[in-house]
Each structure stands twice: as C-alpha cells, then as structure tokens.
Amino acid sequence: MNTQKTVLVTGASRGIGYAIAKKFAQNGFNVAINYNVNRTAAESLERELASLQCRVMTVKADVSSQEQVLYMIESVNSHLGNIDILVNNAGIAGQSLFTDITTEEWDRMFDINVKGMFHCCKAVLPQMIRNKWGKIVNISSIWGLTGASCEVHYSASKAAIIGLTRALAKEVGPSNIQVNCVAPGVIDTDMNSELDDQTLDELKEQTPLGIIGTGNDIAETVYFLTSDNAKFITGQVISPNGGFLI
Ligand code: NAP
C-alpha cells in the first residue's frame, strides 16, 4: 500500500480512535485527528505522532453538524490532501431504562453515532469516487449485533451503522471503495470508566478469552481492513470480542 495516503479518524482524541490514529501514523500514513471537545488530548496525540515523522494534524468538529464536518474535510484536504481512508469512530454511549430515554437523548445518540457517519461519508465520497480508491471503516459494537438491556438507543444506533455499511458497500463497490464495519466487544476506554470492578470481572468471566479488549486490538482489525490483504472484503462486520459473542 502507498504509505503516503491520508487517513481521517473521527473521535481520535481518546480511546479506540487514539489507538487507530497511532497505528496508521506508525505505518507512515498522513493522519488527521478529529475531536469534539477534548482539544488538549488531541493536541497531545498530535505531538506524539509528529515525533514518528508522519504528517499529522488535529481538527475539531462535532460530527453531528454537517457544517462542521464540511469544514473539517476542507481543512484536511488543504493540509494533507485527499482523504483516502475514513475511519468513522466517534461515538457516544448511554445507559438508561428504555422507558426513561427521552426524545432528546434518543436524537442525540442517533445524531452523533449515525448521522455523524452519514455526514462524514457524504463529504469524503466524492473525492474517493473521483480517485476510484477508498476505504471506509465504521465502528459499531457487539451491542449493535445482539442488543444490550438498558442501552436500547445505543444498540439501535450501532445496528443502524451495520445497515449503513452493508448498503453503502454495495453502492460504492463499483468505484473501488470498500466499506466495512468493526463491532468491538468490551474495550478498556473512558466509555466504560463508569463500570465498577465487579461488573468488569463479570464481563471478563463471560468472555471465553477471559480478558477485556484494548484499543490496540481494534486498531489492528481496522488497519487490516484498509490493507491490501483485505482487498476482497467489503460490506462485512468483524467483531473482535474475545469470544463474548459468537
Ligand atoms: P471514548 O473513550 O468515550 O472516546 C470517544 C471519542 O469520540 C472521543 O475522541 C470523543 O472526542 C469523540 N466524540 C464524541 N462525540 C463526538 C462528536 N459529536 N463529534 C466528534 N467526536 C466525538 O470512546 P471509545 O470507547 O474509544 O469508543 C470509540 C467508538 O467505539 C465509539 O463509536 C463506541 O461506540 C465504539 N465502541 C466502544 C466500545 C468500548 O467498550 N469502549 C465497544 C464497542 C464499540 P472528545 O475527546 O473531544 O470528547
């Protein structure tokens, strides 16, 4: 693969996105780090990646805003060139009884997790189609495959991402653009920081491999899906989850 290609990772200031951005930088890609509010963390990652001698930039955008996404894409295009690889990772979670979920909470979940992907895909696809080359990896979740109690809005949004991935893969495949989905199991990030030790132990026990995943586990899968080794794979969902869901 041409290692001068440019990758945009949304939600790269922390957690899984951070690990994905680092993986691409370590392999010589130009990397655009998107964040929403956590500028300090994003800039710290930018400094870390710059020391790897790759071209790197930080760009703020709330992916739920089409206007901000368009500004982000223009900004990446002018600093790093066309976006060849888009990793739609930005997302939020939330736990609530279904009957307690407000319309506002439901809309916010879908605006960030699903509409954010719609905005980012829509903004980068014209350049990918023009180049007849592109890779898009969307981050879903095991809960999008199987559903989680007290996370109906999160689960529904993550299931929508799988539908989006499969349909878009069919539509843009003829333009040599691959669209795949990664559906992680439980990963050690801020998103799970509210889980107490007992819950984490229970989750480990329910996982055949007996461990909680790391951002690197997901980064490796994302990187594989964008590599030449995966050139025959599109419209698929790969779930690194330690065997939690088989
Ligand atoms: P995290 O540690 O909470 O990090 C979330 C990232 O998304 C941050 O970089 C955050 O930016 C960014 N973000 C949030 N809202 C955004 C918005 N409106 N616009 C742009 N960026 C936004 O989460 P994570 O665990 O790394 O999760 C990353 C992805 O993996 C999510 O899509 C999540 O649903 C999925 N996932 C996670 C797990 C898990 O167990 N952790 C399992 C399955 C799937 P700021 O720092 O600026 O807030």
Side-chain angles (χ1 to χ4, degrees):
M1 179 183 284
N2 176 358
T3 53
Q4 296 309 308
K5 289 194 182 302
T6 293
V7 56
L8 166 64
V9 184
T10 67
S13 47
R14 299 181 276 129
I16 292 172
Y18 170 99
I20 295 169
K22 198 166 168 183
K23 175 75 188 173
F24 279 98
Q26 285 166 339
N27 284 278
F29 287 76
N30 307 326
V31 179
I33 300 163
N34 158 253
Y35 70 100
N36 183 28
V37 291
N38 209 331
R39 182 172 162 185
T40 312
E43 288 181 348
S44 149
L45 176 60
E46 181 180 353
R47 282 192 296 278
E48 188 182 339
L49 301 192
S51 71
L52 298 172
Q53 311 300 329
C54 71
R55 291 173 67 208
V56 57
M57 68 178 287
T58 298
V59 57
K60 172 176 164 53
D62 176 345
V63 292
S64 68
S65 156
Q66 186 168 35
E67 198 186 345
Q68 292 185 34
V69 167
L70 288 174
Y71 176 80
M72 166 171 74
I73 303 302
E74 274 172 26
S75 169
V76 177
N77 288 160
S78 60
H79 287 90
L80 299 177
N82 277 334
I83 294 164
D84 305 290
I85 299 172
L86 168 66
V87 183
N88 280 312
N89 165 78
I92 57 164
Q95 292 194 320
S96 188
L97 282 175
F98 179 70
T99 46
D100 290 341
I101 297 172
T102 63
T103 305
E104 289 72 28
E105 286 167 343
W106 182 276
D107 286 346
R108 183 162 182 268
M109 189 68 77
F110 272 74
D111 281 351
I112 295 174
N113 290 2
V114 188
K115 208 195 273 181
M117 277 190 196
F118 167 67
H119 290 151
C120 293
C121 290
K122 204 169 148 65
V124 301
L125 272 169
Q127 47 194 266
M128 289 183 174
I129 291 168
R130 228 177 11 253
N131 293 341
K132 285 228 166 289
W133 202 99
K135 318 265 184 188
I136 298 176
V137 181
N138 299 325
I139 306 299
S140 174
S141 163
I142 44 168
W143 306 128
L145 289 164
T146 189
S149 168
C150 297
E151 294 191 58
V152 172
H153 51 347
Y154 180 72
S155 303
S157 75
K158 291 294 172 178
I161 289 165
I162 293 171
L164 183 157
T165 301
R166 290 184 170 139
L168 188 59
K170 287 187 179 171
E171 190 168 321
V172 299
S175 297
N176 192 33
I177 298 163
Q178 290 162 261
V179 189
N180 286 295
C181 188
V182 175
V186 184
I187 307 298
D188 182 15
T189 69
D190 291 349
M191 194 170 268
N192 290 320
S193 59
E194 282 173 21
L195 299 181
D196 58 35
D197 287 348
Q198 191 191 335
T199 309
L200 283 172
D201 285 344
E202 282 166 12
L203 285 166
K204 273 187 209 166
E205 273 168 32
Q206 290 165 35
T207 305
L209 290 181
I211 47 171
I212 299 290
T214 66
N216 287 337
D217 294 324
I218 307 311
E220 290 295 336
T221 309
V222 170
Y223 187 75
F224 163 71
L225 285 171
T226 64
S227 73
D228 288 345
N229 294 332
K231 68 178 171 34
F232 198 45
I233 300 177
T234 198
Q236 303 301 312
V237 183
I238 297 188
S239 183
N241 63 43
F244 186 90
L245 180 69
I246 293 177

